[in-house]
Amino acid sequence: MKKEYIDFICSLHGYMIRIKEIHWNTTSNSEHLLCDEINDCISDCEDEFTECCMGIEGKHFQIGKLLPMLPNSESLIPLLKELEKDILSMKKKCNDTTESGLTNILDEMMQNVNKYKYRATQK
């Protein structure tokens, strides 16, 4: 599987770990619940992205390759902005027409990140 795909999948997994840490450390119930929702969304997108990659390449994701890459951010809104940059970076790497399914998943992820950036401002 392409290194770019594996790296992005590993970064998504890192985001889920960091969101769980934020979830456990927040003093706001609304942020606590929002973190759960974001984590579920990223998990679903990670699965869709990975399965689409496997379909494109006709290869399975190898056991032992899922090495989470943690984001730098330690609070929710900066984390979402960092995730946004990673999604846009991955989208720029999807140039082949066979990757249109990946582009669609990345677009959906961007839609969700923007929604969550807004919802994270609500207390």
Side-chain angles (χ1 to χ4, degrees), residues 48 91 99-110:
E48 287 181 31
K91 190 171 177 180
E99 296 173 309
S100 64
L102 294 178
T103 302
N104 291 338
I105 294 165
L106 294 167
D107 285 342
E108 180 182 336
M109 290 177 71
M110 279 301 302

Side-chain angles (χ1 to χ4, degrees), residues 65-108:
K65 291 286 186 180
L66 185 58
L67 304 171
M69 296 189 299
L70 295 172
N72 295 315
S73 304
E74 295 182 359
S75 59
L76 193 54
I77 292 175
L79 179 131
L80 291 168
K81 290 178 181 179
E82 190 174 344
L83 176 56
E84 178 180 43
K85 287 179 186 174
D86 286 345
I87 293 167
L88 293 173
S89 176
M90 184 66 226
K91 190 171 177 180
K92 286 180 184 175
K93 296 172 186 172
C94 295
N95 299 322
D96 196 298
T97 56
T98 62
E99 296 173 309
S100 64
L102 294 178
T103 302
N104 291 338
I105 294 165
L106 294 167
D107 285 342
E108 180 182 336

